[in-house]
Amino acid sequence: QVHLVESGGGLVQPGGSLRLSCAASGIILSINAMGWYRQAPGKQRELVARIISNGNTVYADSVKGRFTISRDNAKNTVYLQMNNLKPEDTAVYYCNTASSITPMPNWGQGTQVTVSS
């Protein structure tokens, strides 16, 4: 069974940085497209960053230039480096597959990111 465990969230000031981690088991990240999603209260869950098996990355316009998704194949872990955080980045962040052909596993608990002064 696939397990996805997010960590690294917290409370930060605007302009601050956080690094989120997603430890995966039951799935090989190096051969799966993976993404970071977020969901704010009252809003739909959205895909903010995606990394495909060849290492190429795609970002939502709202985070491009500020967020970086990366993968450590040896650790089977995907990361999201978030810089210059803004209050509108406040959300619960989840990792999951981001492929149109790979069935998506169940969502994990996510990790809360709160950006506030």
Side-chain angles (χ1 to χ4, degrees), residues 74-108:
K75 296 182 178 180
N76 213 42
T77 299
V78 63
Y79 304 94
L80 185 68
Q81 178 67 47
M82 305 185 295
N83 297 326
N84 192 24
L85 284 161
K86 303 176 180 180
E88 53 263 42
D89 295 319
T90 296
V92 178
Y93 284 72
Y94 304 86
C95 67
N96 214 316
T97 57
S99 172
S100 62
I101 61 173
T102 302
M104 179 176 283
N106 291 336
W107 298 98

Side-chain angles (χ1 to χ4, degrees), residues 3-117:
H3 295 279
L4 301 166
V5 182
E6 301 93 345
S7 62
L11 173 64
V12 297
Q13 301 291 320
S17 298
L18 284 173
R19 185 176 177 86
L20 307 183
S21 298
C22 173
S25 61
I27 185 173
I28 305 299
L29 298 187
S30 63
I31 59 173
N32 283 276
M34 297 295 296
W36 282 96
Y37 304 76
R38 69 185 182 188
Q39 187 168 27
K43 296 184 178 180
Q44 293 185 339
R45 182 178 284 136
E46 63 172 335
L47 177 66
V48 298
R50 180 176 182 263
I51 183 168
I52 60 178
S53 59
N54 68 0
N56 287 345
T57 57
V58 181
Y59 301 92
D61 288 342
S62 59
V63 308
K64 192 172 185 178
R66 300 187 297 118
F67 290 11
T68 303
I69 187 171
S70 62
R71 182 183 64 221
D72 187 329
N73 293 335
K75 296 182 178 180
N76 213 42
T77 299
V78 63
Y79 304 94
L80 185 68
Q81 178 67 47
M82 305 185 295
N83 297 326
N84 192 24
L85 284 161
K86 303 176 180 180
E88 53 263 42
D89 295 319
T90 296
V92 178
Y93 284 72
Y94 304 86
C95 67
N96 214 316
T97 57
S99 172
S100 62
I101 61 173
T102 302
M104 179 176 283
N106 291 336
W107 298 98
Q109 293 297 313
T111 185
Q112 176 71 48
V113 172
T114 302
V115 185
S116 176
S117 60

